Amino acid sequence: MKTVLLFLSVFFSLSSFSQNANKDSLTGLQLKNVVSLYDHYTNGNAPIYNGQEYLFYTFKREGNPFFYSDTMLRGWVSYQGKIYNPLSLLYDLTRNQVVVLFPDSISSVVLQNQFIDSFNLANHTFINLMQAPQQNLYNTGFYDLLYNGRVQLLARRTKLLSETIKNDSITTVISSKDFFYIHKDGMFYLVNNQKEVFKLFDDKKHELRKEMRKEHLKFRRKNFESVLKKTTALYDQFIH
C-alpha cells in the first residue's frame, strides 16, 4: 500500500508540474517513466510468481532431471492468457514442474501448471493439453510441439528415477522416455516405429517413401525423433 501511495503521489506531482509547463512538453514522458518505475518495483508481485519456492535436488544422482539443461535458460511463458517474456526457466521433467527465476535473481518459483497455457524453452514450445479420451489423448500435461501444420507432431517428455547401489552408496539414476503423437483429423495417434507412421500416413505412403529415399531418411532408434519430424513435414506438404 505504501508503494502504491508513493507512486500516486509522484504521479500527481508530475501532473501538477505539467500544468505550469508547456502543455505539449513533458507529460507523456513523465507518465511513461512513472509506469516503468512502478512496473519495476511491482514485478515480483505479478501472478506468475504466486507459487511455492522450488527445492533443488540434494541426493547423489546420475543424469539430468531437467529438459535440455540443468541451468536456467531464457524463455517465455503464457500464464493465464498473459505472456511473460523474457524469463529464466527450468523444466523439471521428473516432477513435471516449470520453474522460473524470481526477479531478485536468487530464489526460484514453481509455476502452477493449471495456469500455464504454453511456454518456450531452448527453442521448444510446450503446450498444455487436457486429456481427451474421445480424441485418443489420455494424459494431461505439457506437450512439445515439434511440427505445427495441417497435421501436428508432439512429444510428451518424461524422465524416471530409479535407485542403484554403487560403491556402498545409493545413487539415483535418471532415464529419459519420450512419447510421440501425431495429431491428424482431430485425433491423437501414438507412434512408436516406422510401421505405425506409414500406417497413419497410408494415403501418401508411396510419395513419402520416394522422397525419403531421395533424402536418405531412415528410421533408427537414435534418430527417430528427427526423422519423424521430417516425415511429418513431408506428409503435410503432400496433402496441401
Side-chain angles (χ1 to χ4, degrees):
M1 179 62 70
K2 289 182 179 179
T3 305
V4 175
L5 291 175
L6 171 63
F7 280 95
L8 286 175
S9 66
V10 172
F11 171 78
F12 285 118
S13 295
L14 290 174
S15 298
S16 176
F17 171 80
S18 66
Q19 291 174 3
N20 298 319
N22 188 331
K23 291 183 180 180
D24 297 324
S25 57
L26 300 177
T27 308
L29 178 61
Q30 291 165 347
L31 290 176
K32 182 177 179 181
N33 289 339
V34 169
V35 171
S36 176
L37 192 61
Y38 182 77
D39 285 345
H40 173 76
Y41 280 100
T42 59
N43 191 31
N45 294 323
I48 196 171
Y49 298 112
N50 293 336
Q52 63 183 11
E53 184 175 1
Y54 178 74
L55 300 177
F56 284 88
Y57 295 87
T58 57
F59 52 76
K60 185 179 180 181
R61 58 183 170 87
E62 287 184 2
N64 174 15
F66 305 101
F67 173 73
Y68 194 80
S69 174
D70 59 0
T71 59
M72 290 277 186
L73 298 176
R74 288 303 227 188
W76 56 259
V77 175
S78 176
Y79 197 77
Q80 293 182 297
K82 180 178 180 180
I83 295 178
Y84 295 83
N85 182 34
L87 295 172
S88 295
L89 300 172
L90 279 174
Y91 180 21
D92 186 332
L93 288 169
T94 63
R95 297 173 178 167
N96 191 34
Q97 293 178 333
V98 181
V99 183
V100 61
L101 184 66
F102 199 73
D104 63 8
S105 298
I106 299 174
S107 53
S108 300
V109 176
V110 178
L111 303 186
Q112 299 180 60
N113 287 354
Q114 68 270 28
F115 296 140
I116 301 174
D117 308 307
S118 58
F119 66 94
N120 182 278
L121 179 64
N123 293 320
H124 286 252
T125 297
F126 290 82
I127 58 177
N128 196 354
L129 296 179
M130 298 292 294
Q131 66 175 2
Q134 71 277 12
Q135 294 179 284
N136 287 340
L137 190 67
Y138 296 95
N139 293 282
T140 294
F142 301 116
Y143 289 77
D144 188 356
L145 186 58
L146 298 173
Y147 181 82
N148 187 23
R150 190 169 297 187
V151 292
Q152 295 175 315
L153 174 64
L154 306 103
R156 184 166 65 88
R157 313 284 189 184
T158 65
K159 288 194 176 182
L160 306 175
L161 304 179
S162 60
E163 292 184 344
T164 185
I165 298 178
K166 291 186 177 182
N167 300 322
D168 297 325
S169 64
I170 297 177
T171 299
T172 299
V173 179
I174 302 172
S175 57
S176 301
K177 177 65 176 177
D178 297 327
F179 301 88
F180 297 97
Y181 296 82
I182 292 173
H183 186 220
K184 178 177 181 249
D185 299 328
M187 303 293 287
F188 292 89
Y189 300 91
L190 178 65
V191 290
N192 299 293
N193 51 52
Q194 175 180 295
K195 182 179 179 181
E196 293 176 350
V197 174
F198 281 122
K199 181 180 179 181
L200 186 58
F201 293 157
D202 184 67
D203 56 324
K204 298 295 179 182
K205 181 171 60 178
H206 298 297
E207 293 94 325
L208 280 174
R209 289 187 183 277
K210 180 179 179 180
E211 193 65 28
M212 290 177 70
R213 283 195 297 270
K214 185 189 299 185
E215 297 189 21
H216 306 288
L217 297 176
K218 292 184 179 181
F219 282 101
R220 297 286 187 268
R221 179 177 296 180
K222 290 184 178 181
N223 71 351
F224 184 77
E225 178 176 331
S226 61
V227 174
L228 179 58
K229 184 176 179 179
K230 292 176 181 177
T231 303
T232 304
L234 285 172
Y235 177 79
D236 194 45
Q237 292 175 19
F238 290 140
I239 63 175
H240 272 69

